[in-house]
Amino acid sequence: MQIEKFYYDNKIVKAFGLATIVFGIVGMLAGLWAAIQIYYPASSLNLAPTTFGRLRPLHTNAIIFAFVGNASFAGIYYSLQRLCKARMYSDKLSWMHFWGWQAIIVAAAITLLMGKTTGKEYAELEWPIDIAITIVWVIFGINMLGTIIKRREKHLYVAIWFYIATWVTVAMLHIVNSIEIPVSFLKSYSWYAGVQDALVQWWYGHNAVAFFLTTPVLGLMYYFLPKAANRPVYSYRLSIIHFWALIFIYIWAGPHHLLYTALPDWAQSLGVVFSVMLIAPSWGGMLNGLFTLRGAWDKVKEDPVLKFMVVAITCYGMATFEGPLLSLKNVNAISHFSDWTIAHVHIGGLGWNGFLAFSILYYMIPKMWGTDLYSKKLATNHFWLGTIGIILYAVPLYWAGFEQSLMWKSFTPEGQLKFQFMETVNSIKPMYITRSIGGGLYLVGALMMVYNLYKTMAKGSFVANEAAEAAPLVKEAHAKKEYWHRVIERRPVTLLVLSLIVVAIGGLIEFVPTFLVKSNVPTIASVKPYTPLELQGRDIYVREGCYTCHSQMIRPFRDEVSRYGEYSKAGEFVYDHPFQWGSKRTGPDLAREGNKYPDSWHYNHMYDPRSMSPGSIMPQYTWLLDNALDTASTPAKIRAMRTIGVPYPEGYDLQANKDLMQQANSIAANLKKDKIETPPNVEIVALIAYLQRLGTDIKAEPEKNVTTTITTNK
Amino acid sequence: MKFIHYLEKISGVEILGLVSLAIFFLFFTIMLTWVFRTNKQTLKSISQIPLDN
């Protein structure tokens, strides 16, 4: 047989690798800055773009899609070529993928800081960017599948299975969760409302963790760990079970983000059961990874690549043990909305994703530059600094989560709430400070890596096209005994379709009942659409990322009902496009904020939160007092809302601004009574209107509900 | 405004549970059968792929 000579494309790997390093540092800096703002609010610089509510989405998006995303692409482009014994299908597609993805990241950074957001966590990017993501993802898919099809290796190694499942599932998640109605070039509303929006969002959110932060990285583990340890994976059979069981079960578990919320109970239970089951494949994978090193632990002592991998895989095991634990309802009652969640995700983010990304960079860069790592000692120091950083980050936050949550739930013997919300915040400030020190150490370690890798590149010479040779694939006759296995294992397209079916099942079974049956979300007669001013105020609430610190979901617990009021009902959210339940209570819940304080309180509070509640860690929102309200957008917003089923009367879009000004004038008059002079057409007035509406509808008798009337067009 | 007896209101909802269970059972049965019927030598040779490039 003729042996073919060909070249691996290292240049594209280099590009993605460098992007990983650059955006990793940027994402970590944004995270550190956001962490400091929590105990030192003035560090927001009192500027809209650098305030927590906008910086936090920038941090999460940068880490997930820019840092881990680019690292995965670098690893996939490196390993896929070698596992297929073929160059990437098309260099042109590779570079379109690379530049497209980087353009998306830059666009994301700019728009998020501008406050252009859909308000759905980890899916904040607005519709034009969503479309760009879809196109780039398809380019990546064609390039990957093309490479697999023209491969010179008979079998598809399990890492490739993980890549294929990643591709197909992320495509499905992204499309379903991004269905939105554009209002203008950079503004849209989620197609779904309230409970349904929450279900879709957390089906997405949970599985973004599964299929963007886990499956591609597991694929990398299955390639780079055997490479670095120079021995095959412990059990290939186990890796197959790991793959299928993981992708089948993962997709069902999303509702565990919504326990005790207004989501129907059966969907919550389904989420819990599948989350508990998830520990089996996850730990199967972790053990498979760690057992690969049996008899090779002496290498771990020497090699920084393996050191990082061992901690990464251990953190994967810890995070996937904690996940099922957190999804038990009784544990979730304590952990949810607290800093425990933040600690949990950072075990995954810093430990599993970060350390695995570092390990593959330390592996690939010396290889591609044909040299050894500049300094093993520096890499080992990076390893220890990072590990200590993770511990210093996570442990204080676990503590903070427990402490604050238990304080929330404490009652005096007389049956009163024992602690004001502010007291619970003050008691955990030291933990917030320690956490940022941990994050700082981790960042310093990463900077040491940058220097080390730079020196490595400087001393080696880059091999852009690495020569390799292999025999072409020949079609062989089917051996009957083998047939079963062959059907899936050697056919990438079949594998892709099967993966899609497997991941679609869980989603369908969860969604169908909630979407088909109207009575699934019982409507409440007194719940009415937002007035135009409130709608504008809500958009400001979304723009400033208030949901990153405030929930709008009172769970049916004694303490929450005592503290915030009547627990939240599914029917209250039917006009919420998007839902704003939130996932973290750095500040108190706002679901029943309406009519709790006078308008002037909110005005002063936005200007300087500490003047109204001493000790508050909320940033100042001074610009809201001056920014003119964009009333020109009102008609388009009303029309968009009508399209997605909010019952504004026909032709109301043209009258809406009249109602808007009327309500704004009355709020301005109200403020004047408290000696606050403000024009009615500023953003703060709209935001006050929205905050004063929150949770008030169900207090009104259906027929008496005239305070928020909308003039009908007859 | 309660979610009690709420799944029952969906017509033909019994099928949902049955179908789910059947899919779940079939999925794991087929997968495990497939995995354990595969030739050990084949698996061993596949697991060597990352090492020979």
Side-chain angles (χ1 to χ4, degrees), chain A residues 455-469:
Chain A
K455 289 300 248 183
T456 309
M457 291 176 202
K459 84 178 176 126
S461 69
F462 181 63
V463 186
N465 295 297
E466 193 177 320
E469 45 185 38

Side-chain angles (χ1 to χ4, degrees), chain A residues 191-313:
Chain A
W191 191 270
Y192 319 101
V195 177
Q196 287 160 348
D197 197 35
L199 184 63
V200 175
Q201 160 61 22
W202 284 111
W203 168 79
Y204 163 88
H206 176 72
N207 290 301
V209 173
F211 288 89
F212 206 89
L213 299 176
T214 308
T215 53
V217 187
L218 282 171
L220 300 180
M221 175 189 91
Y222 276 119
Y223 175 79
F224 287 97
L225 181 64
K227 272 312 245 196
N230 198 25
R231 56 187 56 218
V233 66
Y234 169 67
S235 162
Y236 194 76
R237 198 168 263 164
L238 182 56
S239 71
I240 298 174
I241 300 173
H242 178 201
F243 173 78
W244 286 109
L246 193 82
I247 68 164
F248 182 72
I249 296 178
Y250 231 127
I251 208 88
W252 300 67
H256 69 206
H257 291 259
L258 300 166
L259 298 180
Y260 289 113
T261 66
L263 185 76
D265 201 48
W266 67 269
Q268 297 186 25
S269 303
L270 201 67
V272 172
V273 171
F274 277 85
S275 306
V276 172
M277 283 196 280
L278 205 45
I279 196 170
S282 304
W283 273 48
M286 172 193 69
L287 294 173
N288 209 3
L290 290 179
F291 285 166
T292 301
L293 293 167
R294 78 203 184 290
W297 287 91
D298 52 313
K299 279 190 190 159
V300 179
K301 245 165 83 184
E302 303 292 318
D303 186 1
V305 173
L306 285 176
K307 277 196 174 82
F308 277 104
M309 276 192 185
V310 168
V311 170
I313 296 166

Side-chain angles (χ1 to χ4, degrees), chain A residues 58-72:
Chain A
L58 179 77
H59 164 62
T60 51
N61 279 282
I63 291 299
I64 298 171
F65 301 108
F67 173 54
V68 183
N70 275 320
S72 298

Side-chain angles (χ1 to χ4, degrees), chain A residues 146-202:
Chain A
T147 314
I148 296 171
I149 286 167
K150 67 164 202 178
R151 72 192 187 277
R152 294 185 181 82
E153 169 63 56
K154 198 161 58 174
H155 299 281
L156 288 177
Y157 183 66
V158 72
I160 301 176
W161 300 16
F162 278 101
Y163 303 156
I164 292 175
T166 299
W167 184 81
V168 72
T169 314
V170 170
M172 174 182 81
L173 294 167
H174 174 68
I175 291 169
V176 174
N177 192 43
S178 300
I179 298 178
E180 52 217 357
I181 174 126
V183 177
S184 60
F185 175 56
L186 283 174
K187 173 76 195 162
S188 66
Y189 292 123
S190 172
W191 191 270
Y192 319 101
V195 177
Q196 287 160 348
D197 197 35
L199 184 63
V200 175
Q201 160 61 22
W202 284 111

Side-chain angles (χ1 to χ4, degrees), chain A residues 544-582:
Chain A
E544 299 305 338
C546 304
Y547 65 92
T548 57
C549 286
H550 293 280
S551 56
Q552 286 187 19
M553 171 48 62
I554 302 167
R555 298 176 293 174
F557 294 146
R558 182 183 165 207
D559 69 295
E560 298 205 359
V561 172
S562 309
R563 194 181 298 278
Y564 304 118
E566 179 71 12
Y567 68 87
S568 300
K569 318 284 192 293
E572 291 184 78
F573 304 100
V574 289
Y575 304 125
D576 282 10
H577 299 268
F579 80 112
Q580 289 287 287
W581 294 0

